Each structure stands twice: as structure tokens, then as C-alpha cells.
């Protein structure tokens, strides 16, 4: 890295090298693409002399990458396998007398997934205040306690707190720092590293349902939850690998015992909501997700109701996990060739196919048809997830992208929590999941329609910004006009005198 004296001064003419460069340029500089929930915009670190510290691009960073991969897989592997746990909970707690058992049981899984996203804005703030290592280790310990305490309940209601809130909050606090820390160790390879880390979710989603089925059949639900605690304990140990590289102002303040919280405007950055295109995005995505989590929770029970024990329903989660990983790789690359906010059209297409596939589930009376549906649903699920961060970069810029995604994930928690219990209630009342899956396909279509207008709104906003003169430009033009008037006034008498002569 060149000394400060040898580096050219930054341009302030609004060009590509300006500090407020285009979001696409900022995204490239921060390491390329990021996936759903990836608030892993490279955290700016400042060395003692005030210069930006270059990430090591390897070394201990590879250990950190493996720890983050384990975190991604453990957290979302368990969450995405909730359909297997749901069936076991129904059998264990449902004595046949309660006609609303599916509704009550669905709250456990939906609360858990919803809380993971609901805590995202809070976790962003805690990570900024206390660092990645402390937040991740504390979160993993909390998740361990929540999962272990879930194995000692005797009714379904305590699981709302132990599994739906305590375990999920721990997962959220462990998950987000695992993504932020990657920006400390990688910059040029950050896109590749993010891809490897998020692949952990697909790997665990593919393998964990089969393991859970074997464990539940052999040792029961409660002992299975205790076995899953091993994953959380390893996650607890993995958090200690998140070693901070450069001491910053906060660390120095802690050493002196004078830690001060940052200003409120930096902690709660609501300025992203001033961007119209972001507001539409933050409305359209949650609107599309009311039915998103329904197949993950209820598909296993639906297959059991329709096909009995003649098929292995875990194969469907395998299909979802495999094609979701493939979709992230394919569409993440495709998104690089789509300019600006037009990347939103990929999400529009994703929601269209996700909604259509949800409506196709009740139509499939052959198990092979359900396999085909899950293959397509997983593919476009991966597309929706992998371009979340690139779109956020385009809409709000690199500076505000972390909290923009945090706010969005928090808003996403509401529909993802509400959708599955409503589907369970419909099943309890109607005796079948058909209507629930038909209705689950409607919100993605509505949300996709809302997102369609974002590129037009964003382009219009950019044109207005370009047309608006900067203060410096206005002053320069006024001086230029004044000098032109003065020169014209002096040149005219001279020309008259010359013509008279």
C-alpha cells in the first residue's frame, strides 16, 4: 500500500473515483456479490495512521471462513429442516383431541425463523458496538441454552419461548457477525468466500433432514434436540475464531475504560427510507413472503397426509437445498451482467415462479410431480436470495447497505412468522392443505408486481439527481456568467472606437 504522500488526492468532481461513486463500483470494490442476509459489506477498518488497512486475503481468514460456513449451515440447516420436526411435534403433542394442533405447532417453527430476521437490525447495532467475536459467542451460547431447554418441555406452549424465541435470537446473534467478519479478512476474494460460506446452508439443508429422521425414529424428538445442541456448541467455539485485525477507536476506548456509544444517527440510520425505490422494495419483499415459508413448514405433513409412508418426504427438502445452491451460483453470476436496478426483474421472475410452484403443490397427485416442483422452487429461491445485497447496493449505495439489509430482514420477519400458522389453521378447519398452498402462491405474485416499478422509479430519481446542480457548480457558473458579461461590456466600446478610427 503506497504511503499517503504518494497516493493521488481523491477526485471531488463527482466522477467515478469520487467518494460517492456509483453503487456498482462500490459493490465491486467491496468484493462483489453477497447473499440473503449478507450484511457483509466490507467493514472499513482504519489503521493507526488513519489509512485503510488492507485485508490479508487468506491466512487465518480461511479458518474464519470455515467457522462462518459452519454457522450458516447450522443455523439455516436446522431452520429449513423444521418440516421434519413439525411432523414429530404433531405426533408427540397432538393427542387427536385438539382440532387446532397444526395451527399451534406451526407457531413454533414460524416464530423461530421470524425471530432470526426480526433481530437483524438489533444485531447490526450490537456488532458495531461490541465487535463480531463477543456477539457471535454470546449468540451461540444463547442458542445452545434455548435448544437444550426445548428438550425438557412436556407441552407445545413452552416451545414458543425456548425454541421460537430463545434459540432463534441466539441464532440471529451468532449468524450476522459471521458474515460481517468476512469483510475484515477478504476484499478481492470476498465474493468467492461469501459463496462458499452461504453454500453451508445448502449442504446442511440437504443432509440434515435425513439425519433428523433417523434420530427421531431411533431416540425420539427430545434426544434429537439434545444431539442438535452439539452443532450449537461447535458454533460457540467457532465464534472465538473471529479475531479482530485492527484496533479502532472503540477498542482504545475500552482499554482506557472510557467506552462511549456512537451518536444516535449512526446507530439508527433511517436515512435509507428517504430513497423512494428502497421504500417500494421494503414494501414489496415482505408482501411477497407471506406464503414463502409455508412449504418449508407444512410440505412434509402434506406429503404424509396424501401419500402415507410409501414415500420418503425428506427427498423434497433435498431437492430444495440442492437447486437453491445451484440457483445462487447461476443467478448470482447472471446478475453481474444486468445493469443497475434492473436486477430487480430477477426477483420479480423468482417470485412469479415461487408463487406458481406453491399453487402447483396441491395439483401433484404423483410424488414425482412434487419432486419437479421442489426442484424449480429451490432454483428460484436461490435466485431471490443471492441478489438481495447487490440490489441493496444499487438502491442505497455502499455506505448504507448494511443497515438497509438489516431493516429489510426485520420487516421480512413479520410475514414469515404469520404465514405458516395461517396455513396450519386452514388445514385444521378444512382437513387438507390444498387451499393453504393455493393461497400461499398469491402473495409472491402480488409482491413481484409491486417490485416491477422499482427500476423506473430509481432511474427517474437518478435523472433528477443529475439535473440538480451541486453548490460548487452553481457558484462556478455564476462566476463564469459574470466574467462573460464583464468581457462583453469591455469589448463593445473598444470595437466602437476601432470602427470610428
Amino acid at each position: 500500500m503506497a504511503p499517503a504522500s504518494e497516493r493521488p488526492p481523491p477526485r471531488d468532481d463527482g466522477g467515478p473515483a469520487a467518494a460517492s461513486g456509483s453503487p456498482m463500483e462500490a459493490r465491486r470494490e467491496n468484493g462483489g456479490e453477497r447473499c440473503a442476509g449478507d450484511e457483509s459489506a466490507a467493514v472499513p477498518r482504519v489503521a493507526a495512521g488513519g489509512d485503510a488497512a488492507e485485508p490479508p486475503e487468506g491466512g487465518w481468514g480461511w479458518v474464519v471462513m470455515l467457522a462462518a460456513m459452519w454457522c450458516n449451515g447450522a443455523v439455516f440447516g436446522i431452520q429449513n429442516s423444521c418440516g421434519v420436526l413439525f411432523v414429530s411435534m404433531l405426533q408427540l403433542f397432538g393427542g387427536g383431541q385438539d382440532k387446532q394442533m397444526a395451527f399451534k405447532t406451526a407457531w413454533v417453527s414460524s416464530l423461530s425463523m421470524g425471530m432470526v430476521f426480526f433481530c437483524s437490525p438489533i444485531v447490526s447495532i450490537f456488532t458495531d458496538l461490541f465487535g463480531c467475536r463477543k456477539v457471535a459467542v454470546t449468540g451461540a451460547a444463547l442458542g445452545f441454552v434455548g435448544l437444550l431447554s426445548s428438550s425438557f418441555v412436556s407441552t407445545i406452549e413452552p416451545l414458543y419461548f425456548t425454541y421460537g424465541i430463545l434459540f432463534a435470537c441466539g441464532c440471529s446473534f451468532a449468524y450476522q457477525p459471521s458474515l460481517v467478519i468476512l469483510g475484515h479478512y477478504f476484499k478481492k476474494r470476498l465474493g468467492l468466500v461469501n459463496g462458499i460460506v452461504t453454500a453451508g446452508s445448502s449442504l446442511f439443508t440437504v443432509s440434515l433432514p435425513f439425519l433428523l429422521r433417523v434420530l427421531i425414529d431411533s431416540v425420539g424428538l427430545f434426544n434429537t434436540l439434545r444431539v442438535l445442541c452439539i452443532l450449537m456448541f461447535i458454533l460457540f467455539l467457532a465464534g472465538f475464531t473471529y479475531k479482530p485485525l485492527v484496533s479502532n477507536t472503540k477498542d482504545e476506548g475500552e482499554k482506557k475504560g472510557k467506552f462511549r456509544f456512537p451518536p444516535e444517527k449512526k446507530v439508527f440510520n433511517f436515512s435509507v427510507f428517504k430513497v423512494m425505490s428502497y421504500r417500494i422494495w421494503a414494501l414489496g419483499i415482505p408482501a411477497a413472503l407471506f406464503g414463502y415459508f409455508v412449504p418449508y413448514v407444512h410440505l412434509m405433513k402434506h406429503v404424509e397426509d396424501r401419500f402415507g409412508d410409501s414415500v420418503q418426504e425428506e427427498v423434497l427438502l433435498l431437492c430444495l437445498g440442492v437447486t437453491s445452491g445451484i440457483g445462487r451460483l447461476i443467478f448470482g453470476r447472471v446478475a453481474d451482467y444486468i445493469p443497475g436496478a434492473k436486477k430487480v426483474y430477477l426477483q420479480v421472475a423468482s417470485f412469479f415462479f415461487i408463487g406458481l410452484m406453491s399453487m402447483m403443490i396441491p395439483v401433484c397427485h404423483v410424488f414425482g410431480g412434487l419432486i419437479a416442483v421442489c426442484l424449480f422452487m429451490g432454483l428460484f429461491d436461490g435466485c431471490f436470495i443471492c441478489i438481495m445485497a447487490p440490489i441493496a447496493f444499487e438502491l442505497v449505495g455502499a455506505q448504507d447497505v448494511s443497515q438497509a439489509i438489516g431493516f429489510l430482514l426485520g420487516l421480512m420477519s413479520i410475514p414469515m412468522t404469520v404465514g405458516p400458522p395461517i396455513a396450519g389453521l386452514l388445514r385444521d378447519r378444512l382437513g387438507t392443505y390444498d387451499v393453504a398452498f393455493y393461497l400461499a402462491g398469491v402473495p409472491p405474485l402480488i409482491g413481484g408486481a409491486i417490485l416491477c416499478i422499482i427500476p423506473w422509479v430509481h432511474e427517474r430519481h437518478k435523472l433528477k439527481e443529475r439535473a440538480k446542480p451541486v453548490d460548487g457548480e452553481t457558484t462556478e457558473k455564476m462566476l463564469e456568467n459574470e466574467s462573460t458579461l464583464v468581457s462583453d461590456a469591455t469589448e463593445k466600446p473598444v470595437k466602437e472606437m476601432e470602427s470610428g478610427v
Side-chain angles (χ1 to χ4, degrees):
M1 183 172 172
S5 59
E6 295 179 12
R7 290 198 301 271
R11 291 175 53 184
D12 57 0
D13 58 357
S20 58
S22 69
M24 177 63 75
E25 291 296 324
R27 182 164 70 86
R28 286 171 184 160
E29 290 175 9
N30 280 283
E33 296 176 17
R34 294 158 181 84
C35 297
D38 291 5
E39 293 85 318
S40 54
V43 178
R45 301 179 315 288
V46 180
D51 297 331
E54 285 294 330
E57 300 293 342
W60 185 254
W62 297 118
V63 178
V64 173
M65 183 199 73
L66 292 176
M69 183 179 179
W70 180 272
C71 175
N72 207 293
V75 169
F76 288 104
I78 296 175
Q79 296 291 346
N80 292 341
S81 303
C82 62
V84 179
L85 299 176
F86 175 79
V87 174
S88 180
M89 290 176 190
L90 274 179
Q91 295 171 349
L92 183 63
F93 299 113
Q97 304 296 326
D98 195 341
K99 296 181 179 180
Q100 291 189 339
M101 200 60 208
F103 170 71
K104 292 180 178 179
T105 307
W107 272 110
V108 177
S109 301
S110 58
L111 262 177
S112 183
M113 179 62 87
M115 286 301 296
V116 171
F117 292 108
F118 181 77
C119 294
S120 293
I122 303 171
V123 179
S124 297
I125 295 169
F126 273 83
T127 303
D128 289 341
L129 293 177
F130 302 110
C132 294
R133 178 190 285 174
K134 292 179 181 178
V135 174
V137 169
T138 304
L142 187 63
F144 177 88
V145 171
L147 200 56
L148 184 63
S149 58
S150 298
S151 67
F152 293 99
V153 302
S154 56
T155 59
I156 193 71
E157 285 78 12
L159 286 174
Y160 297 154
F161 175 73
T162 59
Y163 189 91
I165 295 179
L166 200 61
F167 167 64
C169 286
C171 286
S172 184
F173 274 74
Y175 166 67
Q176 203 158 321
S178 73
L179 297 169
V180 174
I181 193 66
L182 297 177
H184 289 231
Y185 285 89
F186 298 95
K187 182 177 180 181
K188 295 177 182 177
R189 296 172 175 170
L190 187 57
L192 170 65
V193 169
N194 267 322
I196 296 172
V197 167
T198 55
S201 172
S202 297
L203 290 175
F204 275 68
T205 302
V206 165
S207 57
L208 204 54
F210 295 96
L211 176 62
L212 290 178
R213 174 55 61 197
V214 172
L215 287 172
I216 290 173
D217 291 341
S218 58
V219 299
L221 174 64
F222 293 146
N223 286 323
T224 299
L225 293 177
R226 290 163 193 157
V227 171
L228 290 178
C229 288
I230 298 174
L231 303 183
M232 299 307 296
F233 180 72
I234 297 174
L235 181 56
F236 171 78
L237 298 178
F240 286 101
T241 66
Y242 301 164
K243 179 183 177 183
L245 292 179
V246 181
S247 62
N248 51 30
T249 306
K250 178 178 75 66
D251 296 327
E252 293 171 2
E254 285 178 336
K255 291 175 184 176
K256 296 176 182 178
K258 298 179 180 179
F259 172 70
R260 293 181 297 177
F261 286 89
E264 184 180 353
K265 64 180 181 180
K266 292 184 179 180
V267 174
F268 300 100
N269 183 14
F270 293 106
S271 62
V272 292
F273 289 100
K274 295 179 181 179
V275 181
M276 174 63 76
S277 53
Y278 175 78
R279 292 204 302 268
I280 298 172
W281 195 49
L283 169 68
I285 296 291
L289 295 180
F290 275 98
Y292 172 82
F293 200 46
V294 170
Y296 285 95
V297 176
H298 294 287
L299 186 57
M300 299 296 98
K301 180 60 178 173
H302 169 72
V303 172
E304 185 182 89
D305 291 345
R306 177 161 292 186
F307 300 101
D309 296 330
S310 59
V311 297
Q312 273 194 310
E313 58 265 28
E314 293 84 5
V315 173
L316 300 179
L317 291 179
L318 170 67
C319 295
L320 283 170
V322 169
T323 52
S324 178
I326 295 173
R328 296 178 195 200
L329 296 175
I330 294 176
F331 289 105
R333 184 61 176 164
V334 169
D336 279 339
Y337 297 99
I338 300 177
K342 291 182 179 178
K343 293 178 178 63
V344 171
Y345 290 132
L346 282 177
Q347 282 192 330
V348 172
S350 298
F351 285 135
F352 174 79
F353 280 101
I354 289 173
L356 185 63
M357 292 300 105
S358 295
M359 293 179 173
M360 291 289 291
I361 290 174
V363 180
C364 297
H365 294 278
V366 179
F367 189 66
L370 279 177
I371 291 178
V373 165
C374 289
L375 288 173
F376 277 102
M377 184 177 288
L379 187 69
F380 287 99
D381 171 73
C383 174
F384 153 65
I385 289 174
C386 76
I387 57 174
M388 291 274 286
I391 290 174
F393 268 96
E394 299 293 348
L395 299 184
V396 302
Q399 259 188 330
D400 300 326
V401 70
S402 180
Q403 291 213 24
I405 295 178
F407 285 132
L408 180 66
L409 294 178
L411 293 171
M412 285 166 53
S413 67
I414 300 171
M416 293 185 74
T417 303
V418 173
I422 293 176
L425 182 62
L426 290 171
R427 195 268 177 193
D428 290 333
R429 295 291 176 87
L430 303 175
T432 177
Y433 278 112
D434 290 357
V435 175
F437 283 118
Y438 285 134
L439 293 178
V442 175
L445 300 179
I446 296 174
I450 295 173
L451 298 182
C452 281
I453 65 173
I454 289 179
W456 176 77
V457 172
H458 188 66
E459 192 62 32
R460 187 181 175 191
H461 173 73
K462 284 168 63 177
L463 290 174
K464 284 184 179 179
E465 288 295 318
R466 290 170 187 165
K468 188 189 300 182
V470 185
D471 293 341
E473 293 179 359
T474 306
T475 306
E476 187 177 341
K477 286 181 180 178
M478 289 175 62
L479 293 173
E480 187 178 333
N481 292 337
E482 287 179 6
S483 62
T484 304
L485 291 172
V486 171
S487 62
D488 289 344
T490 55
E491 286 178 4
K492 190 173 181 181
V494 172
K495 288 182 180 179
E496 288 178 355
M497 289 176 63
E498 288 178 351
S499 61
V501 175

